[in-house]
Amino acid sequence: MAPLKQNKQCISKKSRKGACRKFCLDLTHPVEDGILDSANFETFLKERVKVNGKTGNLGNVVQIARIKNKINVTSEKQFSKRYLKYLTKKYLKKNNLRDWLRVVASDKETYELRYFQISQDDEESETDE
């Protein structure tokens, strides 16, 4: 019984190492409205992404590329999608955009920046009172 369990663990570890992770950040709405600069955001990510515990150590392991209103992040090592969300929220807070924009997962490998939906009914009921 014991050798079978060990073989299963070895197989799962091998599959993780060879995986190439690709993520996409869709900045279409804020860039079109002119409140966010995609080039500035790209440089922010290149400066802040940590590889092996060091910032600015991208090398050939992590590539960050901008195509129009989308930023593509490709990693040869294990890379967390949640870490991209964290860095995006940090950038929004730094530029005082966190009150108007939120980061939403639109796909398994894609994050999208969307505006908060403020309903008009709540504002009208408050003014009536």
Side-chain angles (χ1 to χ4, degrees):
M1 285 274 198
L4 292 176
K5 289 182 181 179
Q6 291 176 352
N7 288 340
K8 288 181 181 179
Q9 290 175 351
C10 292
I11 292 171
S12 64
K13 288 181 181 177
K14 288 180 182 177
S15 63
R16 287 183 193 165
K17 289 182 181 177
C20 183
R21 309 273 300 188
K22 295 180 182 178
F23 299 108
C24 181
L25 290 164
D26 188 7
L27 313 171
T28 305
H29 299 294
V31 170
E32 287 177 351
D33 293 339
I35 64 169
L36 186 82
D37 183 20
S38 60
N40 189 14
F41 182 56
E42 180 188 16
T43 56
F44 176 83
L45 285 177
K46 285 182 179 178
E47 292 171 357
R48 298 292 176 106
V49 169
K50 284 187 178 181
V51 178
N52 296 329
K54 297 179 183 177
T55 57
N57 187 23
L58 296 180
N60 293 331
V61 179
V62 178
Q63 290 88 25
I64 299 174
R66 179 174 44 98
I67 302 171
K68 293 187 181 180
N69 297 334
K70 292 187 178 185
I71 293 180
N72 296 320
V73 179
T74 307
S75 175
E76 294 174 5
K77 281 193 167 184
Q78 187 174 2
F79 194 81
S80 173
K81 182 180 169 190
R82 183 100 177 141
Y83 183 55
L84 277 180
K85 184 175 184 177
Y86 164 76
L87 287 173
T88 305
K89 289 166 83 170
K90 194 170 186 174
Y91 177 80
L92 292 175
K93 185 70 174 177
K94 178 183 171 186
N95 292 319
N96 298 323
L97 297 172
R98 187 81 173 93
D99 295 334
W100 293 281
L101 294 170
R102 63 186 183 139
V103 185
V104 179
S106 60
D107 192 359
K108 187 176 180 181
E109 299 165 348
T110 306
Y111 276 123
E112 182 179 355
L113 292 182
R114 292 186 186 168
Y115 292 103
F116 282 110
Q117 297 295 325
I118 301 171
S119 62
Q120 297 294 329
D121 298 333
D122 292 339
E123 292 177 3
E124 291 176 2
S125 64
E126 291 176 2
T127 57
D128 292 339
E129 295 174 1

